[in-house]
């Protein structure tokens, strides 16, 4: 909830200084915040849904779960290692970069196999196997929460994390936001879709700059920075105007 509200607060403060956005995209729970930034949720509504999503994911699996970031291996090899150890690809960040999720014991076996194959591994500080089938009960519960919420059609197009398709209606938003809880996020496809949409400047709301660094490594020719890099909103607005 704090991450989502922070992102919405930053956008609320910035939007009066920036051109109208053409598209929003959000990484994992950031996709829910993207809907709020696009006008589909008020702040209180966003906080309630973010909290419900977190609680439902916490309760979806009675065993310890987790996520590990993997880099340096071809996607096909990562898939084979996942099949051998019982974990799943949770997020695809590039041809040789992904996040894998599963139960703690299976993740340990996957880490050992991936390191032997030459991968670089980073354990992420989460206790749920987000975006894997272990979260199926949470996906179902969150769909019900979304359907009962005042979620509205977004005023700005949003990219769905599960397939980089456009989300323009409440019904489509309910499906994609619920589905992504237990399905892989195809962030590499989302980054490509931003380029294909004709975006000439991208701004990460933060906190942090992980997404802007990831985008720069994939599409270095398009200006992309994070709000976290600036000391004032005026500085952000000046950079966007100059870059555009």
């Amino acid at each position: 909830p704090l991450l989502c509200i922070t992102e919405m607060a930053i956008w609320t403060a910035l939007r009066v200084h920036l051109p109208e956005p053409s598209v929003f995209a959000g990484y994992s729970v950031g996709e829910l915040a993207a809907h709020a930034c696009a006008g589909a949720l008020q702040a209180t509504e966003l906080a309630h849904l973010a909290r419900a999503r977190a609680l439902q994911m916490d309760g979806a699996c009675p065993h310890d779960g987790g996520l590990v970031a993997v880099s340096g291996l071809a996607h096909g090899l990562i898939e084979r290692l996942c099949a051998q150890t019982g974990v799943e690809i949770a997020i695809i960040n590039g041809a040789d970069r992904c996040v894998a999720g599963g139960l703690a014991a299976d993740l340990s076996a996957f880490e050992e196999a991936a390191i032997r194959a030459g991968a670089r591994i980073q354990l992420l500080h989460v206790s749920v196997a987000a975006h894997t089938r272990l979260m199926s009960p949470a996906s179902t519960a969150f769909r019900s929460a979304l359907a009962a919420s005042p979620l509205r059609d977004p005023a700005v197009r949003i990219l769905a994390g599960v397939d980089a398709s456009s989300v323009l209606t409440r019904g489509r938003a309910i499906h994609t936001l619920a589905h992504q809880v237990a399905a892989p996020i195809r962030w590499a496809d989302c980054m490509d879709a931003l380029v294909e949409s004709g975006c000439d400047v991208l701004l990460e709301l933060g906190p942090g700059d992980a997404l802007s660094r990831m985008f720069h490594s994939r599409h270095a020719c398009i200006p992309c920075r994070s709000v976290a890099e600036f000391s004032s909103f005026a500085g952000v607005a000046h950079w966007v105007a100059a870059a555009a």
Side-chain angles (χ1 to χ4, degrees):
L2 289 175
L3 286 172
C4 288
I5 290 298
T6 296
E7 289 158 1
M8 186 180 185
I10 290 171
W11 175 247
T12 301
L14 268 174
R15 62 181 304 175
V16 296
H17 304 292
L18 299 177
E20 284 297 313
S22 60
V23 61
F24 283 101
Y27 191 88
S28 190
V29 72
E31 189 174 340
L32 183 61
H35 279 267
C37 293
L41 290 167
Q42 296 297 322
T44 303
E45 298 162 356
L46 171 64
H48 282 308
L49 282 174
R51 181 176 184 272
R53 182 183 184 274
L55 290 173
Q56 289 153 2
M57 292 176 73
D58 280 344
C61 183
H63 306 290
D64 290 337
L67 298 171
V68 294
V70 189
S71 60
L73 294 183
H75 188 73
L77 177 54
I78 294 174
E79 286 185 324
R80 290 196 293 274
L81 294 178
C82 285
Q84 292 168 9
T85 56
V87 306
E88 299 177 32
I89 292 178
I91 307 175
I92 301 169
N93 291 324
D96 65 347
R97 298 180 183 181
C98 76
V99 175
L103 299 178
D106 295 334
L107 278 176
S108 180
F110 172 81
E111 289 180 53
E112 292 178 6
I115 290 171
R116 286 197 301 270
R120 294 183 297 278
I121 296 288
Q122 179 184 359
L123 180 65
L124 304 184
H125 297 292
V126 297
S127 57
V128 295
H131 312 302
T132 72
R133 286 172 290 183
L134 290 172
M135 292 293 106
S136 293
S139 176
T140 300
F142 192 49
R143 187 181 300 273
S144 297
L146 288 163
S149 78
L151 178 71
R152 294 167 288 278
D153 293 347
V156 180
R157 184 166 63 97
I158 300 166
L159 295 183
V162 291
D163 58 8
S165 64
S166 294
V167 178
L168 298 167
T169 66
R170 165 183 159 87
R172 178 66 178 161
I174 290 172
H175 171 72
T176 53
L177 286 170
H179 185 49
Q180 64 117 284
V181 171
I185 298 294
R186 301 185 176 276
W187 189 246
D189 291 346
C190 287
M191 290 189 287
D192 293 346
L194 290 169
V195 176
E196 292 162 6
S197 296
C199 293
D200 55 2
V201 177
L202 284 94
L203 183 67
E204 178 184 0
L205 297 180
D209 62 354
L211 299 185
S212 53
R213 288 187 287 106
M214 200 182 307
F215 185 87
H216 182 75
S217 70
R218 190 171 181 88
H219 296 289
C221 59
I222 296 179
C224 179
R225 294 181 69 182
S226 171
V227 173
E229 299 178 49
F230 297 87
S231 59
S232 69
F233 289 145
V236 177
H238 177 76
W239 175 77
V240 170

